[in-house]
Short mmCIF file of all heavy atoms in Angstrom, two decimals:
data_model
loop_
_atom_site.label_atom_id
_atom_site.label_comp_id
_atom_site.label_asym_id
_atom_site.label_seq_id
_atom_site.Cartn_x
_atom_site.Cartn_y
_atom_site.Cartn_z
N ARG A 1 0.81 -1.21 0.00
CA ARG A 1 0.00 0.00 0.00
C ARG A 1 0.84 1.26 0.00
O ARG A 1 0.50 2.23 -0.64
CB ARG A 1 -0.93 0.00 1.22
CG ARG A 1 -2.18 -0.77 0.96
CD ARG A 1 -3.01 -1.05 2.17
NE ARG A 1 -3.35 0.02 3.04
CZ ARG A 1 -4.54 0.16 3.57
NH1 ARG A 1 -5.48 -0.69 3.28
NH2 ARG A 1 -4.79 1.13 4.39
N GLY A 2 1.94 1.22 0.72
CA GLY A 2 2.79 2.39 0.79
C GLY A 2 3.38 2.76 -0.57
O GLY A 2 3.40 3.93 -0.95
N THR A 3 3.83 1.76 -1.30
CA THR A 3 4.44 2.00 -2.61
C THR A 3 3.41 2.55 -3.59
O THR A 3 3.70 3.48 -4.35
CB THR A 3 5.06 0.71 -3.16
OG1 THR A 3 6.03 0.23 -2.22
CG2 THR A 3 5.72 0.93 -4.49
N HIS A 4 2.21 2.00 -3.56
CA HIS A 4 1.14 2.47 -4.43
C HIS A 4 0.86 3.96 -4.16
O HIS A 4 0.66 4.75 -5.10
CB HIS A 4 -0.11 1.63 -4.23
CG HIS A 4 -1.26 2.03 -5.09
ND1 HIS A 4 -1.29 1.77 -6.45
CD2 HIS A 4 -2.40 2.69 -4.80
CE1 HIS A 4 -2.42 2.25 -6.94
NE2 HIS A 4 -3.10 2.82 -5.96
N ARG A 5 0.86 4.33 -2.91
CA ARG A 5 0.60 5.72 -2.55
C ARG A 5 1.73 6.64 -3.00
O ARG A 5 1.49 7.78 -3.38
CB ARG A 5 0.36 5.83 -1.05
CG ARG A 5 -0.96 5.21 -0.66
CD ARG A 5 -1.24 5.32 0.81
NE ARG A 5 -2.56 4.77 1.09
CZ ARG A 5 -2.87 4.15 2.20
NH1 ARG A 5 -1.97 4.00 3.14
NH2 ARG A 5 -4.07 3.68 2.38
N VAL A 6 2.95 6.14 -2.97
CA VAL A 6 4.07 6.95 -3.46
C VAL A 6 3.90 7.22 -4.95
O VAL A 6 4.11 8.35 -5.42
CB VAL A 6 5.43 6.26 -3.17
CG1 VAL A 6 6.56 6.98 -3.88
CG2 VAL A 6 5.70 6.21 -1.68
N PHE A 7 3.49 6.21 -5.70
CA PHE A 7 3.25 6.41 -7.13
C PHE A 7 2.12 7.41 -7.37
O PHE A 7 2.20 8.25 -8.28
CB PHE A 7 2.96 5.09 -7.84
CG PHE A 7 4.16 4.22 -8.02
CD1 PHE A 7 4.15 2.90 -7.60
CD2 PHE A 7 5.32 4.71 -8.60
CE1 PHE A 7 5.26 2.09 -7.77
CE2 PHE A 7 6.44 3.92 -8.77
CZ PHE A 7 6.41 2.61 -8.36
N ASP A 8 1.09 7.33 -6.55
CA ASP A 8 0.00 8.31 -6.65
C ASP A 8 0.53 9.72 -6.39
O ASP A 8 0.16 10.67 -7.08
CB ASP A 8 -1.12 7.99 -5.66
CG ASP A 8 -1.94 6.79 -6.05
OD1 ASP A 8 -1.88 6.36 -7.22
OD2 ASP A 8 -2.66 6.26 -5.17
N ALA A 9 1.39 9.84 -5.40
CA ALA A 9 1.95 11.15 -5.07
C ALA A 9 2.77 11.69 -6.24
O ALA A 9 2.69 12.89 -6.56
CB ALA A 9 2.82 11.05 -3.81
N TYR A 10 3.55 10.83 -6.88
CA TYR A 10 4.33 11.27 -8.04
C TYR A 10 3.41 11.75 -9.16
O TYR A 10 3.74 12.70 -9.88
CB TYR A 10 5.26 10.16 -8.54
CG TYR A 10 6.56 10.10 -7.80
CD1 TYR A 10 6.92 8.96 -7.09
CD2 TYR A 10 7.45 11.18 -7.82
CE1 TYR A 10 8.13 8.90 -6.41
CE2 TYR A 10 8.66 11.12 -7.15
CZ TYR A 10 8.99 9.98 -6.44
OH TYR A 10 10.18 9.93 -5.77
N LEU A 11 2.28 11.11 -9.32
CA LEU A 11 1.31 11.54 -10.33
C LEU A 11 0.81 12.95 -10.01
O LEU A 11 0.76 13.81 -10.89
CB LEU A 11 0.13 10.56 -10.40
CG LEU A 11 -0.98 10.91 -11.35
CD1 LEU A 11 -0.51 10.82 -12.80
CD2 LEU A 11 -2.16 9.99 -11.14
N TYR A 12 0.46 13.19 -8.75
CA TYR A 12 0.01 14.52 -8.34
C TYR A 12 1.11 15.56 -8.51
O TYR A 12 0.86 16.69 -8.94
CB TYR A 12 -0.48 14.53 -6.90
CG TYR A 12 -1.75 13.74 -6.68
CD1 TYR A 12 -1.87 12.85 -5.63
CD2 TYR A 12 -2.85 13.89 -7.52
CE1 TYR A 12 -3.03 12.12 -5.42
CE2 TYR A 12 -4.02 13.18 -7.33
CZ TYR A 12 -4.10 12.29 -6.26
OH TYR A 12 -5.25 11.58 -6.06
N LEU A 13 2.35 15.18 -8.18
CA LEU A 13 3.47 16.11 -8.33
C LEU A 13 3.71 16.44 -9.80
O LEU A 13 4.00 17.60 -10.14
CB LEU A 13 4.73 15.51 -7.71
CG LEU A 13 4.71 15.39 -6.18
CD1 LEU A 13 5.93 14.62 -5.70
CD2 LEU A 13 4.64 16.76 -5.54
N ASN A 14 3.58 15.46 -10.65
CA ASN A 14 3.73 15.69 -12.08
C ASN A 14 2.65 16.64 -12.58
O ASN A 14 2.93 17.56 -13.35
CB ASN A 14 3.68 14.36 -12.83
CG ASN A 14 3.97 14.52 -14.30
OD1 ASN A 14 4.91 15.20 -14.69
ND2 ASN A 14 3.16 13.89 -15.13
N ASN A 15 1.43 16.44 -12.13
CA ASN A 15 0.33 17.33 -12.52
C ASN A 15 0.59 18.75 -12.02
O ASN A 15 0.30 19.72 -12.72
CB ASN A 15 -1.00 16.82 -11.99
CG ASN A 15 -1.48 15.58 -12.71
OD1 ASN A 15 -1.06 15.29 -13.83
ND2 ASN A 15 -2.36 14.84 -12.07
N ALA A 16 1.13 18.86 -10.83
CA ALA A 16 1.41 20.19 -10.25
C ALA A 16 2.45 20.94 -11.07
O ALA A 16 2.33 22.15 -11.27
CB ALA A 16 1.86 20.05 -8.81
N THR A 17 3.46 20.23 -11.54
CA THR A 17 4.51 20.91 -12.30
C THR A 17 4.01 21.40 -13.66
O THR A 17 4.53 22.37 -14.18
CB THR A 17 5.74 20.00 -12.53
OG1 THR A 17 5.33 18.83 -13.23
CG2 THR A 17 6.39 19.62 -11.22
N LYS A 18 3.00 20.75 -14.18
CA LYS A 18 2.44 21.15 -15.48
C LYS A 18 1.37 22.24 -15.36
O LYS A 18 1.06 22.90 -16.34
CB LYS A 18 1.83 19.94 -16.18
CG LYS A 18 2.83 18.89 -16.57
CD LYS A 18 2.13 17.70 -17.18
CE LYS A 18 3.10 16.59 -17.50
NZ LYS A 18 2.41 15.41 -18.02
N GLU A 19 0.83 22.39 -14.17
CA GLU A 19 -0.30 23.31 -13.96
C GLU A 19 0.17 24.77 -13.92
O GLU A 19 1.19 25.08 -13.32
CB GLU A 19 -1.01 22.96 -12.66
CG GLU A 19 -2.27 23.72 -12.41
CD GLU A 19 -3.29 23.57 -13.51
OE1 GLU A 19 -3.69 22.43 -13.82
OE2 GLU A 19 -3.69 24.61 -14.08
N THR A 20 -0.59 25.64 -14.57
CA THR A 20 -0.27 27.06 -14.56
C THR A 20 -1.13 27.85 -13.58
O THR A 20 -0.72 28.91 -13.11
CB THR A 20 -0.42 27.66 -15.97
OG1 THR A 20 -1.75 27.43 -16.44
CG2 THR A 20 0.59 27.06 -16.92
N ASP A 21 -2.29 27.34 -13.27
CA ASP A 21 -3.19 28.00 -12.31
C ASP A 21 -2.65 27.75 -10.89
O ASP A 21 -2.56 26.60 -10.46
CB ASP A 21 -4.60 27.43 -12.45
CG ASP A 21 -5.61 28.06 -11.50
OD1 ASP A 21 -5.20 28.75 -10.55
OD2 ASP A 21 -6.81 27.86 -11.72
N PRO A 22 -2.30 28.80 -10.17
CA PRO A 22 -1.71 28.63 -8.84
C PRO A 22 -2.59 27.85 -7.85
O PRO A 22 -2.09 27.07 -7.05
CB PRO A 22 -1.48 30.05 -8.34
CG PRO A 22 -1.49 30.90 -9.55
CD PRO A 22 -2.35 30.20 -10.56
N ARG A 23 -3.89 28.06 -7.93
CA ARG A 23 -4.79 27.33 -7.02
C ARG A 23 -4.80 25.84 -7.30
O ARG A 23 -4.76 25.02 -6.39
CB ARG A 23 -6.21 27.90 -7.10
CG ARG A 23 -6.35 29.24 -6.46
CD ARG A 23 -7.77 29.70 -6.49
NE ARG A 23 -7.87 31.03 -5.89
CZ ARG A 23 -8.82 31.87 -6.14
NH1 ARG A 23 -9.79 31.55 -6.97
NH2 ARG A 23 -8.84 33.05 -5.56
N LYS A 24 -4.87 25.50 -8.58
CA LYS A 24 -4.87 24.08 -8.96
C LYS A 24 -3.52 23.45 -8.63
O LYS A 24 -3.44 22.31 -8.16
CB LYS A 24 -5.18 23.91 -10.44
CG LYS A 24 -6.61 24.21 -10.79
CD LYS A 24 -6.85 24.01 -12.27
CE LYS A 24 -8.28 24.36 -12.65
NZ LYS A 24 -8.50 24.20 -14.10
N LYS A 25 -2.45 24.20 -8.86
CA LYS A 25 -1.11 23.71 -8.55
C LYS A 25 -0.99 23.41 -7.06
O LYS A 25 -0.51 22.35 -6.66
CB LYS A 25 -0.07 24.76 -8.97
CG LYS A 25 1.34 24.33 -8.79
CD LYS A 25 2.30 25.40 -9.33
CE LYS A 25 3.29 24.69 -10.18
NZ LYS A 25 4.08 25.49 -11.02
N ALA A 26 -1.45 24.34 -6.23
CA ALA A 26 -1.41 24.15 -4.78
C ALA A 26 -2.26 22.94 -4.37
O ALA A 26 -1.87 22.18 -3.48
CB ALA A 26 -1.90 25.40 -4.07
N SER A 27 -3.37 22.76 -5.05
CA SER A 27 -4.24 21.63 -4.75
C SER A 27 -3.55 20.30 -5.04
O SER A 27 -3.63 19.35 -4.24
CB SER A 27 -5.53 21.74 -5.57
OG SER A 27 -6.36 20.63 -5.34
N PHE A 28 -2.84 20.22 -6.16
CA PHE A 28 -2.10 19.00 -6.48
C PHE A 28 -0.99 18.73 -5.45
O PHE A 28 -0.79 17.59 -5.03
CB PHE A 28 -1.50 19.08 -7.89
CG PHE A 28 -2.48 18.82 -8.99
CD1 PHE A 28 -2.65 19.74 -10.01
CD2 PHE A 28 -3.23 17.65 -9.02
CE1 PHE A 28 -3.55 19.51 -11.04
CE2 PHE A 28 -4.14 17.41 -10.04
CZ PHE A 28 -4.30 18.34 -11.06
N TYR A 29 -0.30 19.78 -5.04
CA TYR A 29 0.74 19.61 -4.03
C TYR A 29 0.15 19.14 -2.70
O TYR A 29 0.72 18.29 -2.02
CB TYR A 29 1.53 20.89 -3.82
CG TYR A 29 2.62 21.12 -4.85
CD1 TYR A 29 2.69 22.30 -5.57
CD2 TYR A 29 3.58 20.15 -5.11
CE1 TYR A 29 3.67 22.51 -6.52
CE2 TYR A 29 4.57 20.35 -6.06
CZ TYR A 29 4.61 21.52 -6.76
OH TYR A 29 5.60 21.72 -7.70
N GLU A 30 -0.99 19.68 -2.33
CA GLU A 30 -1.64 19.27 -1.09
C GLU A 30 -2.11 17.81 -1.15
O GLU A 30 -2.01 17.08 -0.17
CB GLU A 30 -2.80 20.20 -0.76
CG GLU A 30 -2.31 21.58 -0.32
CD GLU A 30 -3.42 22.60 -0.22
OE1 GLU A 30 -4.60 22.27 -0.48
OE2 GLU A 30 -3.10 23.76 0.11
N LEU A 31 -2.61 17.40 -2.31
CA LEU A 31 -2.99 16.00 -2.49
C LEU A 31 -1.77 15.10 -2.35
O LEU A 31 -1.82 14.06 -1.68
CB LEU A 31 -3.65 15.78 -3.85
CG LEU A 31 -5.07 16.30 -4.00
CD1 LEU A 31 -5.50 16.26 -5.47
CD2 LEU A 31 -6.03 15.48 -3.15
N ALA A 32 -0.67 15.50 -2.97
CA ALA A 32 0.57 14.72 -2.87
C ALA A 32 1.02 14.63 -1.41
O ALA A 32 1.44 13.57 -0.95
CB ALA A 32 1.66 15.35 -3.73
N GLU A 33 0.90 15.74 -0.70
CA GLU A 33 1.29 15.75 0.71
C GLU A 33 0.46 14.75 1.52
O GLU A 33 1.01 13.96 2.30
CB GLU A 33 1.13 17.16 1.28
CG GLU A 33 1.50 17.27 2.74
CD GLU A 33 1.27 18.66 3.30
OE1 GLU A 33 0.39 19.39 2.78
OE2 GLU A 33 1.95 19.01 4.27
N ARG A 34 -0.84 14.75 1.33
CA ARG A 34 -1.71 13.83 2.07
C ARG A 34 -1.41 12.37 1.75
O ARG A 34 -1.36 11.52 2.63
CB ARG A 34 -3.18 14.13 1.78
CG ARG A 34 -3.68 15.32 2.57
CD ARG A 34 -5.17 15.48 2.41
NE ARG A 34 -5.36 16.75 1.71
CZ ARG A 34 -6.32 17.01 0.87
NH1 ARG A 34 -7.23 16.12 0.59
NH2 ARG A 34 -6.41 18.18 0.29
N VAL A 35 -1.20 12.10 0.47
CA VAL A 35 -0.91 10.73 0.05
C VAL A 35 0.44 10.27 0.61
O VAL A 35 0.59 9.13 1.06
CB VAL A 35 -0.95 10.62 -1.49
CG1 VAL A 35 -0.44 9.28 -1.96
CG2 VAL A 35 -2.36 10.85 -1.99
N LEU A 36 1.42 11.16 0.61
CA LEU A 36 2.74 10.81 1.15
C LEU A 36 2.67 10.58 2.66
O LEU A 36 3.36 9.70 3.19
CB LEU A 36 3.77 11.89 0.82
CG LEU A 36 4.21 11.92 -0.63
CD1 LEU A 36 5.05 13.17 -0.90
CD2 LEU A 36 4.99 10.66 -1.00
N GLU A 37 1.85 11.34 3.35
CA GLU A 37 1.69 11.12 4.79
C GLU A 37 1.08 9.75 5.05
O GLU A 37 1.48 9.04 5.97
CB GLU A 37 0.85 12.23 5.41
CG GLU A 37 1.61 13.54 5.52
CD GLU A 37 0.76 14.72 5.93
OE1 GLU A 37 -0.49 14.62 5.92
OE2 GLU A 37 1.35 15.77 6.26
N ALA A 38 0.12 9.35 4.21
CA ALA A 38 -0.48 8.02 4.35
C ALA A 38 0.55 6.94 4.03
O ALA A 38 0.61 5.90 4.70
CB ALA A 38 -1.69 7.89 3.43
N SER A 39 1.38 7.19 3.03
CA SER A 39 2.44 6.24 2.68
C SER A 39 3.45 6.11 3.81
O SER A 39 3.90 5.01 4.13
CB SER A 39 3.13 6.70 1.40
OG SER A 39 4.19 5.85 1.08
N LEU A 40 3.80 7.23 4.41
CA LEU A 40 4.73 7.24 5.53
C LEU A 40 4.20 6.37 6.67
O LEU A 40 4.93 5.57 7.25
CB LEU A 40 4.93 8.68 5.99
CG LEU A 40 6.04 9.00 6.94
CD1 LEU A 40 7.38 8.71 6.32
CD2 LEU A 40 5.96 10.45 7.36
N GLU A 41 2.92 6.51 6.94
CA GLU A 41 2.29 5.72 7.99
C GLU A 41 2.29 4.23 7.63
O GLU A 41 2.58 3.38 8.47
CB GLU A 41 0.86 6.20 8.21
CG GLU A 41 0.16 5.53 9.36
CD GLU A 41 -1.24 6.08 9.58
OE1 GLU A 41 -1.45 7.29 9.38
OE2 GLU A 41 -2.12 5.28 9.96
N ALA A 42 2.00 3.92 6.37
CA ALA A 42 1.98 2.52 5.94
C ALA A 42 3.36 1.88 6.07
O ALA A 42 3.49 0.74 6.54
CB ALA A 42 1.48 2.41 4.50
N PHE A 43 4.40 2.60 5.65
CA PHE A 43 5.76 2.05 5.76
C PHE A 43 6.19 1.92 7.22
O PHE A 43 6.93 1.01 7.56
CB PHE A 43 6.76 2.91 4.98
CG PHE A 43 6.69 2.71 3.49
CD1 PHE A 43 6.61 3.79 2.63
CD2 PHE A 43 6.72 1.43 2.94
CE1 PHE A 43 6.56 3.61 1.25
CE2 PHE A 43 6.67 1.23 1.57
CZ PHE A 43 6.59 2.32 0.73
N SER A 44 5.74 2.82 8.06
CA SER A 44 6.06 2.72 9.49
C SER A 44 5.42 1.49 10.11
O SER A 44 6.07 0.75 10.85
CB SER A 44 5.61 3.98 10.23
OG SER A 44 6.36 5.09 9.83
N LYS A 45 4.15 1.27 9.78
CA LYS A 45 3.45 0.10 10.30
C LYS A 45 4.05 -1.20 9.79
O LYS A 45 4.08 -2.20 10.50
CB LYS A 45 1.96 0.15 9.94
CG LYS A 45 1.18 1.14 10.75
CD LYS A 45 -0.29 1.12 10.36
CE LYS A 45 -1.06 2.13 11.16
NZ LYS A 45 -2.49 2.15 10.79
N ALA A 46 4.52 -1.18 8.55
CA ALA A 46 5.10 -2.38 7.95
C ALA A 46 6.57 -2.57 8.34
O ALA A 46 7.20 -3.53 7.90
CB ALA A 46 4.98 -2.30 6.43
N LYS A 47 7.08 -1.65 9.15
CA LYS A 47 8.47 -1.72 9.63
C LYS A 47 9.48 -1.73 8.48
O LYS A 47 10.35 -2.59 8.40
CB LYS A 47 8.65 -2.91 10.56
CG LYS A 47 7.79 -2.83 11.80
CD LYS A 47 8.06 -3.96 12.72
CE LYS A 47 7.24 -4.08 13.90
NZ LYS A 47 6.45 -3.41 14.60
N HIS A 48 9.33 -0.74 7.62
CA HIS A 48 10.27 -0.53 6.51
C HIS A 48 10.90 0.86 6.69
O HIS A 48 10.52 1.82 6.03
CB HIS A 48 9.56 -0.59 5.16
CG HIS A 48 9.11 -1.96 4.78
ND1 HIS A 48 10.00 -2.97 4.47
CD2 HIS A 48 7.88 -2.49 4.66
CE1 HIS A 48 9.32 -4.07 4.18
NE2 HIS A 48 8.03 -3.80 4.28
N PRO A 49 11.88 0.95 7.59
CA PRO A 49 12.44 2.27 7.88
C PRO A 49 13.13 2.94 6.69
O PRO A 49 13.09 4.17 6.56
CB PRO A 49 13.44 2.00 9.01
CG PRO A 49 13.74 0.55 8.93
CD PRO A 49 12.52 -0.11 8.35
N GLU A 50 13.73 2.15 5.80
CA GLU A 50 14.42 2.76 4.67
C GLU A 50 13.42 3.42 3.71
O GLU A 50 13.66 4.51 3.19
CB GLU A 50 15.30 1.75 3.93
CG GLU A 50 14.57 0.60 3.25
CD GLU A 50 14.00 -0.47 4.18
OE1 GLU A 50 14.44 -0.59 5.33
OE2 GLU A 50 13.08 -1.18 3.72
N LYS A 51 12.30 2.78 3.49
CA LYS A 51 11.26 3.35 2.63
C LYS A 51 10.62 4.55 3.32
O LYS A 51 10.33 5.56 2.68
CB LYS A 51 10.18 2.32 2.29
CG LYS A 51 10.68 1.22 1.40
CD LYS A 51 10.93 1.74 0.02
CE LYS A 51 11.31 0.61 -0.91
NZ LYS A 51 11.65 1.10 -2.23
N ARG A 52 10.41 4.43 4.62
CA ARG A 52 9.84 5.54 5.39
C ARG A 52 10.73 6.77 5.28
O ARG A 52 10.24 7.89 5.07
CB ARG A 52 9.67 5.12 6.85
CG ARG A 52 9.00 6.18 7.72
CD ARG A 52 9.19 5.92 9.19
NE ARG A 52 10.61 6.02 9.48
CZ ARG A 52 11.27 5.19 10.30
NH1 ARG A 52 10.65 4.19 10.88
NH2 ARG A 52 12.56 5.36 10.53
N ASP A 53 12.04 6.57 5.38
CA ASP A 53 12.98 7.69 5.29
C ASP A 53 12.94 8.33 3.91
O ASP A 53 13.00 9.56 3.79
CB ASP A 53 14.39 7.22 5.62
CG ASP A 53 14.54 6.80 7.08
OD1 ASP A 53 13.66 7.14 7.91
OD2 ASP A 53 15.54 6.12 7.39
N GLU A 54 12.85 7.53 2.85
CA GLU A 54 12.77 8.06 1.49
C GLU A 54 11.51 8.92 1.32
O GLU A 54 11.56 10.00 0.74
CB GLU A 54 12.75 6.93 0.47
CG GLU A 54 14.05 6.20 0.32
CD GLU A 54 13.95 5.03 -0.64
OE1 GLU A 54 13.12 5.07 -1.57
OE2 GLU A 54 14.72 4.07 -0.47
N VAL A 55 10.40 8.41 1.83
CA VAL A 55 9.14 9.14 1.71
C VAL A 55 9.20 10.42 2.53
O VAL A 55 8.69 11.47 2.12
CB VAL A 55 7.95 8.25 2.15
CG1 VAL A 55 6.67 9.06 2.25
CG2 VAL A 55 7.77 7.09 1.17
N ASN A 56 9.86 10.35 3.67
CA ASN A 56 9.97 11.54 4.52
C ASN A 56 10.75 12.64 3.82
O ASN A 56 10.39 13.82 3.91
CB ASN A 56 10.64 11.16 5.84
CG ASN A 56 10.20 12.04 6.98
OD1 ASN A 56 9.26 12.80 6.86
ND2 ASN A 56 10.89 11.93 8.09
N ILE A 57 11.79 12.29 3.09
CA ILE A 57 12.57 13.27 2.32
C ILE A 57 11.69 13.88 1.22
O ILE A 57 11.68 15.11 1.04
CB ILE A 57 13.83 12.62 1.73
CG1 ILE A 57 14.80 12.27 2.86
CG2 ILE A 57 14.48 13.52 0.70
CD1 ILE A 57 15.95 11.37 2.44
N LEU A 58 10.96 13.04 0.52
CA LEU A 58 10.07 13.53 -0.53
C LEU A 58 8.99 14.43 0.06
O LEU A 58 8.67 15.49 -0.50
CB LEU A 58 9.45 12.35 -1.29
CG LEU A 58 8.54 12.67 -2.45
CD1 LEU A 58 9.25 13.52 -3.50
CD2 LEU A 58 8.03 11.39 -3.08
N LEU A 59 8.44 14.04 1.19
CA LEU A 59 7.41 14.83 1.85
C LEU A 59 7.95 16.21 2.24
O LEU A 59 7.26 17.22 2.09
CB LEU A 59 6.87 14.08 3.07
CG LEU A 59 5.75 14.73 3.85
CD1 LEU A 59 4.53 14.98 2.97
CD2 LEU A 59 5.37 13.84 5.03
N SER A 60 9.16 16.25 2.71
CA SER A 60 9.77 17.54 3.08
C SER A 60 9.89 18.46 1.87
O SER A 60 9.62 19.66 1.97
CB SER A 60 11.16 17.32 3.69
OG SER A 60 11.06 16.64 4.90
N SER A 61 10.29 17.89 0.74
CA SER A 61 10.41 18.73 -0.46
C SER A 61 9.05 19.20 -0.95
O SER A 61 8.92 20.33 -1.44
CB SER A 61 11.18 17.99 -1.55
OG SER A 61 10.44 16.92 -2.05
N VAL A 62 8.02 18.37 -0.80
CA VAL A 62 6.67 18.78 -1.19
C VAL A 62 6.20 19.92 -0.29
O VAL A 62 5.63 20.91 -0.78
CB VAL A 62 5.69 17.59 -1.12
CG1 VAL A 62 4.24 18.05 -1.24
CG2 VAL A 62 6.00 16.59 -2.22
N LYS A 63 6.47 19.83 0.99
CA LYS A 63 6.07 20.89 1.91
C LYS A 63 6.79 22.20 1.57
O LYS A 63 6.20 23.28 1.66
CB LYS A 63 6.35 20.48 3.35
CG LYS A 63 5.38 19.43 3.85
CD LYS A 63 5.65 19.04 5.28
CE LYS A 63 4.65 18.00 5.73
NZ LYS A 63 4.77 17.67 7.14
N GLN A 64 8.04 22.12 1.15
CA GLN A 64 8.77 23.32 0.73
C GLN A 64 8.15 23.92 -0.52
O GLN A 64 8.04 25.15 -0.64
CB GLN A 64 10.24 22.99 0.48
CG GLN A 64 11.01 22.73 1.75
CD GLN A 64 12.45 22.32 1.47
OE1 GLN A 64 12.83 22.04 0.33
NE2 GLN A 64 13.26 22.25 2.52
N GLU A 65 7.74 23.08 -1.45
CA GLU A 65 7.09 23.57 -2.67
C GLU A 65 5.77 24.26 -2.34
O GLU A 65 5.44 25.28 -2.93
CB GLU A 65 6.83 22.42 -3.65
CG GLU A 65 8.05 21.95 -4.38
CD GLU A 65 8.61 22.99 -5.33
OE1 GLU A 65 7.85 23.77 -5.93
OE2 GLU A 65 9.85 23.02 -5.46
N ILE A 66 5.03 23.71 -1.40
CA ILE A 66 3.76 24.32 -1.00
C ILE A 66 4.02 25.70 -0.42
O ILE A 66 3.35 26.67 -0.77
CB ILE A 66 3.01 23.42 0.01
CG1 ILE A 66 2.51 22.16 -0.70
CG2 ILE A 66 1.85 24.17 0.65
CD1 ILE A 66 1.95 21.11 0.23
N LYS A 67 5.01 25.81 0.46
CA LYS A 67 5.34 27.11 1.05
C LYS A 67 5.77 28.10 -0.02
O LYS A 67 5.37 29.26 0.00
CB LYS A 67 6.45 26.95 2.09
CG LYS A 67 6.01 26.36 3.38
CD LYS A 67 7.17 26.28 4.36
CE LYS A 67 6.76 25.57 5.62
NZ LYS A 67 7.87 25.43 6.58
N LEU A 68 6.58 27.65 -0.95
CA LEU A 68 7.06 28.51 -2.02
C LEU A 68 5.90 29.00 -2.88
O LEU A 68 5.80 30.19 -3.19
CB LEU A 68 8.08 27.77 -2.89
CG LEU A 68 8.67 28.56 -4.05
CD1 LEU A 68 9.44 29.76 -3.56
CD2 LEU A 68 9.54 27.66 -4.89
N ASP A 69 5.01 28.10 -3.23
CA ASP A 69 3.86 28.49 -4.05
C ASP A 69 2.95 29.46 -3.33
O ASP A 69 2.38 30.35 -3.93
CB ASP A 69 3.08 27.26 -4.50
CG ASP A 69 3.71 26.56 -5.68
OD1 ASP A 69 4.66 27.11 -6.26
OD2 ASP A 69 3.27 25.45 -6.02
N LEU A 70 2.80 29.27 -2.02
CA LEU A 70 1.95 30.18 -1.25
C LEU A 70 2.55 31.58 -1.19
O LEU A 70 1.82 32.57 -1.22
CB LEU A 70 1.73 29.64 0.16
CG LEU A 70 0.83 28.42 0.27
CD1 LEU A 70 0.80 27.91 1.71
CD2 LEU A 70 -0.58 28.72 -0.21
N THR A 71 3.86 31.66 -1.12
CA THR A 71 4.49 32.98 -1.07
C THR A 71 4.47 33.67 -2.43
O THR A 71 4.45 34.90 -2.50
CB THR A 71 5.94 32.90 -0.57
OG1 THR A 71 6.69 32.04 -1.43
CG2 THR A 71 6.02 32.40 0.85
N LEU A 72 4.46 32.90 -3.51
CA LEU A 72 4.45 33.48 -4.85
C LEU A 72 3.06 33.85 -5.33
O LEU A 72 2.93 34.65 -6.25
CB LEU A 72 5.10 32.51 -5.85
CG LEU A 72 6.58 32.24 -5.62
CD1 LEU A 72 7.07 31.20 -6.63
CD2 LEU A 72 7.40 33.51 -5.74
N SER A 73 2.05 33.26 -4.72
CA SER A 73 0.68 33.54 -5.22
C SER A 73 -0.01 34.63 -4.44
O SER A 73 0.46 35.29 -3.64
CB SER A 73 -0.16 32.28 -5.18
OG SER A 73 -0.25 31.76 -3.89
#
C-alpha cells in the first residue's frame, strides 16, 4: 500500500509541475502531501524504515514547494 501511494503522489506532483493555475497547482501539491503522509504511515506500520525515510525526504520537499507556491501567489 505504501508504494502504491508513493506512485500516486508522483502523479500529483507531475500534474502540479504542469499546472499554470496557482490554485490548482497548490491543490495538487496538497494532495501529494496527504498521500505521502499516508504512505509514511503505511511504511512505518510495515516496519520498513528505509522506505519511510525516502518518503519523509520527498514529503519535506513537497512541503517546501507548498510554502514557495503560497508565497508566490
